[in-house]
Tab-separated table of all heavy atoms in Angstrom:
chain	number	residue	atom	x	y	z
B	95	LYS	N	19.917	54.580	8.478
B	95	LYS	CA	18.650	55.123	8.979
B	95	LYS	C	17.479	54.276	8.511
B	95	LYS	O	16.565	53.981	9.265
B	95	LYS	CB	18.473	56.575	8.494
B	95	LYS	CG	19.078	57.604	9.425
B	95	LYS	CD	18.797	58.996	8.894
B	95	LYS	CE	19.611	60.024	9.663
B	95	LYS	NZ	19.524	61.341	9.033
B	96	LYS	N	17.547	53.874	7.236
B	96	LYS	CA	16.477	53.035	6.681
B	96	LYS	C	16.364	51.736	7.467
B	96	LYS	O	15.277	51.276	7.801
B	96	LYS	CB	16.763	52.723	5.213
B	96	LYS	CG	16.275	53.804	4.268
B	96	LYS	CD	16.492	53.369	2.840
B	96	LYS	CE	16.084	54.480	1.877
B	96	LYS	NZ	16.426	54.138	0.502
B	97	LEU	N	17.532	51.164	7.768
B	97	LEU	CA	17.563	49.901	8.511
B	97	LEU	C	16.956	50.090	9.895
B	97	LEU	O	16.111	49.299	10.338
B	97	LEU	CB	19.012	49.412	8.625
B	97	LEU	CG	19.192	48.015	9.218
B	97	LEU	CD1	18.715	46.957	8.233
B	97	LEU	CD2	20.652	47.782	9.569
B	98	ILE	N	17.378	51.170	10.557
B	98	ILE	CA	16.872	51.443	11.902
B	98	ILE	C	15.361	51.678	11.858
B	98	ILE	O	14.610	51.154	12.677
B	98	ILE	CB	17.607	52.661	12.515
B	98	ILE	CG1	19.060	52.282	12.827
B	98	ILE	CG2	16.915	53.148	13.798
B	98	ILE	CD1	19.974	53.465	13.034
B	99	PHE	N	14.943	52.413	10.821
B	99	PHE	CA	13.508	52.694	10.688
B	99	PHE	C	12.732	51.397	10.488
B	99	PHE	O	11.687	51.173	11.108
B	99	PHE	CB	13.279	53.644	9.504
B	99	PHE	CG	11.825	53.910	9.218
B	99	PHE	CD1	11.092	54.755	10.036
B	99	PHE	CD2	11.192	53.283	8.152
B	99	PHE	CE1	9.751	54.987	9.777
B	99	PHE	CE2	9.854	53.508	7.892
B	99	PHE	CZ	9.135	54.366	8.705
B	100	GLY	N	13.277	50.521	9.644
B	100	GLY	CA	12.614	49.237	9.376
B	100	GLY	C	12.471	48.407	10.628
B	100	GLY	O	11.398	47.910	10.948
B	101	ILE	N	13.597	48.295	11.378
B	101	ILE	CA	13.584	47.477	12.592
B	101	ILE	C	12.625	48.072	13.617
B	101	ILE	O	11.800	47.372	14.199
B	101	ILE	CB	15.015	47.335	13.176
B	101	ILE	CG1	15.882	46.494	12.229
B	101	ILE	CG2	14.978	46.708	14.564
B	101	ILE	CD1	17.346	46.537	12.527
B	102	SER	N	12.720	49.400	13.798
B	102	SER	CA	11.879	50.017	14.834
B	102	SER	C	10.404	49.953	14.460
B	102	SER	O	9.559	49.706	15.313
B	102	SER	CB	12.301	51.464	15.089
B	102	SER	OG	12.274	52.164	13.883
B	103	SER	N	10.084	50.133	13.153
B	103	SER	CA	8.668	50.055	12.772
B	103	SER	C	8.141	48.641	12.941
B	103	SER	O	7.003	48.439	13.364
B	103	SER	CB	8.451	50.554	11.344
B	103	SER	OG	9.243	49.809	10.486
B	104	GLY	N	8.989	47.650	12.652
B	104	GLY	CA	8.594	46.250	12.866
B	104	GLY	C	8.311	45.980	14.329
B	104	GLY	O	7.292	45.382	14.688
B	105	ALA	N	9.233	46.451	15.183
B	105	ALA	CA	9.063	46.263	16.633
B	105	ALA	C	7.803	46.963	17.118
B	105	ALA	O	7.036	46.411	17.924
B	105	ALA	CB	10.281	46.810	17.373
B	106	LEU	N	7.562	48.153	16.579
B	106	LEU	CA	6.374	48.920	16.959
B	106	LEU	C	5.099	48.177	16.558
B	106	LEU	O	4.138	48.093	17.330
B	106	LEU	CB	6.406	50.296	16.286
B	106	LEU	CG	5.356	51.291	16.758
B	106	LEU	CD1	5.641	51.717	18.182
B	106	LEU	CD2	5.323	52.507	15.847
B	107	ALA	N	5.138	47.618	15.336
B	107	ALA	CA	3.968	46.877	14.851
B	107	ALA	C	3.667	45.690	15.761
B	107	ALA	O	2.520	45.437	16.123
B	107	ALA	CB	4.211	46.412	13.424
B	108	ILE	N	4.728	44.974	16.169
B	108	ILE	CA	4.547	43.813	17.051
B	108	ILE	C	3.969	44.274	18.384
B	108	ILE	O	3.031	43.674	18.925
B	108	ILE	CB	5.889	43.058	17.238
B	108	ILE	CG1	6.278	42.383	15.916
B	108	ILE	CG2	5.790	42.021	18.351
B	108	ILE	CD1	7.702	41.926	15.848
B	109	LEU	N	4.522	45.379	18.890
B	109	LEU	CA	4.050	45.927	20.171
B	109	LEU	C	2.570	46.293	20.088
B	109	LEU	O	1.775	45.959	20.970
B	109	LEU	CB	4.877	47.162	20.520
B	109	LEU	CG	4.679	47.712	21.926
B	109	LEU	CD1	5.325	46.788	22.944
B	109	LEU	CD2	5.258	49.106	22.041
B	110	ILE	N	2.219	46.948	18.979
B	110	ILE	CA	0.817	47.350	18.784
B	110	ILE	C	-0.079	46.126	18.752
B	110	ILE	O	-1.142	46.096	19.359
B	110	ILE	CB	0.673	48.177	17.484
B	110	ILE	CG1	1.288	49.562	17.707
B	110	ILE	CG2	-0.790	48.334	17.072
B	110	ILE	CD1	1.503	50.344	16.443
B	111	MET	N	0.387	45.109	18.051
B	111	MET	CA	-0.408	43.879	17.962
B	111	MET	C	-0.672	43.321	19.348
B	111	MET	O	-1.789	42.953	19.691
B	111	MET	CB	0.331	42.832	17.118
B	111	MET	CG	0.282	43.092	15.639
B	111	MET	SD	-1.382	43.078	14.994
B	111	MET	CE	-1.794	41.357	15.186
B	112	PHE	N	0.386	43.275	20.180
B	112	PHE	CA	0.240	42.736	21.536
B	112	PHE	C	-0.738	43.589	22.341
B	112	PHE	O	-1.637	43.066	22.990
B	112	PHE	CB	1.605	42.684	22.233
B	112	PHE	CG	2.331	41.399	21.957
B	112	PHE	CD1	3.454	41.379	21.156
B	112	PHE	CD2	1.883	40.204	22.501
B	112	PHE	CE1	4.124	40.195	20.879
B	112	PHE	CE2	2.541	39.012	22.231
B	112	PHE	CZ	3.658	39.012	21.424
B	113	VAL	N	-0.551	44.898	22.266
B	113	VAL	CA	-1.414	45.801	23.037
B	113	VAL	C	-2.850	45.674	22.564
B	113	VAL	O	-3.782	45.560	23.362
B	113	VAL	CB	-0.911	47.262	22.871
B	113	VAL	CG1	-1.906	48.243	23.483
B	113	VAL	CG2	0.438	47.424	23.532
B	114	PHE	N	-3.002	45.630	21.245
B	114	PHE	CA	-4.336	45.575	20.670
B	114	PHE	C	-5.042	44.282	21.057
B	114	PHE	O	-6.183	44.288	21.511
B	114	PHE	CB	-4.197	45.679	19.142
B	114	PHE	CG	-5.492	45.926	18.438
B	114	PHE	CD1	-6.195	47.107	18.642
B	114	PHE	CD2	-6.017	44.985	17.575
B	114	PHE	CE1	-7.384	47.337	17.992
B	114	PHE	CE2	-7.209	45.208	16.923
B	114	PHE	CZ	-7.891	46.386	17.133
B	115	VAL	N	-4.338	43.175	20.911
B	115	VAL	CA	-4.933	41.871	21.249
B	115	VAL	C	-5.290	41.833	22.731
B	115	VAL	O	-6.372	41.409	23.119
B	115	VAL	CB	-3.965	40.719	20.865
B	115	VAL	CG1	-4.417	39.400	21.451
B	115	VAL	CG2	-3.880	40.604	19.349
B	116	GLY	N	-4.378	42.345	23.551
B	116	GLY	CA	-4.628	42.380	25.000
B	116	GLY	C	-5.843	43.212	25.331
B	116	GLY	O	-6.692	42.821	26.135
B	117	HIS	N	-5.941	44.347	24.651
B	117	HIS	CA	-7.065	45.246	24.908
B	117	HIS	C	-8.381	44.587	24.514
B	117	HIS	O	-9.352	44.626	25.257
B	117	HIS	CB	-6.871	46.525	24.095
B	117	HIS	CG	-7.796	47.611	24.513
B	117	HIS	ND1	-7.500	48.486	25.528
B	117	HIS	CD2	-9.037	47.923	24.090
B	117	HIS	CE1	-8.519	49.305	25.686
B	117	HIS	NE2	-9.465	48.984	24.811
B	118	ILE	N	-8.388	43.957	23.349
B	118	ILE	CA	-9.607	43.281	22.884
B	118	ILE	C	-9.993	42.170	23.861
B	118	ILE	O	-11.158	42.001	24.209
B	118	ILE	CB	-9.403	42.715	21.451
B	118	ILE	CG1	-9.425	43.866	20.467
B	118	ILE	CG2	-10.483	41.709	21.095
B	118	ILE	CD1	-9.061	43.492	19.068
B	119	TYR	N	-8.968	41.458	24.341
B	119	TYR	CA	-9.225	40.357	25.272
B	119	TYR	C	-9.896	40.899	26.533
B	119	TYR	O	-10.919	40.377	26.982
B	119	TYR	CB	-7.900	39.678	25.616
B	119	TYR	CG	-8.030	38.597	26.654
B	119	TYR	CD1	-8.598	37.366	26.321
B	119	TYR	CD2	-7.599	38.796	27.956
B	119	TYR	CE1	-8.735	36.383	27.266
B	119	TYR	CE2	-7.729	37.813	28.910
B	119	TYR	CZ	-8.293	36.604	28.558
B	119	TYR	OH	-8.428	35.623	29.506
B	120	ASN	N	-9.341	41.986	27.071
B	120	ASN	CA	-9.913	42.579	28.281
B	120	ASN	C	-11.317	43.103	28.024
B	120	ASN	O	-12.209	42.951	28.850
B	120	ASN	CB	-9.037	43.736	28.770
B	120	ASN	CG	-7.782	43.214	29.399
B	120	ASN	OD1	-7.761	42.089	29.879
B	120	ASN	ND2	-6.730	44.000	29.375
B	121	TYR	N	-11.471	43.699	26.845
B	121	TYR	CA	-12.766	44.271	26.497
B	121	TYR	C	-13.819	43.161	26.416
B	121	TYR	O	-14.919	43.274	26.923
B	121	TYR	CB	-12.655	45.006	25.161
B	121	TYR	CG	-13.962	45.570	24.674
B	121	TYR	CD1	-14.554	46.630	25.337
B	121	TYR	CD2	-14.613	45.020	23.580
B	121	TYR	CE1	-15.752	47.147	24.909
B	121	TYR	CE2	-15.818	45.528	23.147
B	121	TYR	CZ	-16.389	46.591	23.812
B	121	TYR	OH	-17.581	47.073	23.391
B	122	ALA	N	-13.422	42.053	25.751
B	122	ALA	CA	-14.346	40.922	25.615
B	122	ALA	C	-14.743	40.393	26.987
B	122	ALA	O	-15.895	40.089	27.258
B	122	ALA	CB	-13.696	39.826	24.792
B	123	LYS	N	-13.757	40.355	27.879
B	123	LYS	CA	-13.999	39.858	29.230
B	123	LYS	C	-15.003	40.769	29.923
B	123	LYS	O	-15.958	40.309	30.556
B	123	LYS	CB	-12.671	39.872	29.984
B	123	LYS	CG	-12.437	38.612	30.761
B	123	LYS	CD	-11.075	38.671	31.389
B	123	LYS	CE	-10.953	37.682	32.479
B	123	LYS	NZ	-9.667	37.747	33.127
B	124	ARG	N	-14.783	42.081	29.767
B	124	ARG	CA	-15.673	43.056	30.410
B	124	ARG	C	-17.088	42.936	29.858
B	124	ARG	O	-18.060	42.978	30.576
B	124	ARG	CB	-15.157	44.464	30.136
B	124	ARG	CG	-14.230	45.003	31.177
B	124	ARG	CD	-14.388	46.504	31.329
B	124	ARG	NE	-14.444	47.234	30.097
B	124	ARG	CZ	-13.409	47.683	29.427
B	124	ARG	NH1	-12.198	47.436	29.866
B	124	ARG	NH2	-13.557	48.372	28.328
B	125	SER	N	-17.178	42.741	28.534
B	125	SER	CA	-18.484	42.652	27.896
B	125	SER	C	-19.271	41.482	28.443
B	125	SER	O	-20.457	41.585	28.713
B	125	SER	CB	-18.315	42.476	26.397
B	125	SER	OG	-17.601	43.541	25.892
Side-chain angles (χ1 to χ4, degrees):
Chain B
K95 271 183 191 171
K96 275 185 183 174
L97 188 71
I98 290 163
F99 176 75
I101 292 167
S102 55
S103 57
L106 189 69
I108 291 165
L109 190 72
I110 287 166
M111 284 298 292
F112 272 110
V113 171
F114 192 65
V115 168
H117 193 87
I118 286 172
Y119 175 74
N120 286 335
Y121 177 69
K123 225 176 162 182
R124 268 213 315 273
S125 301

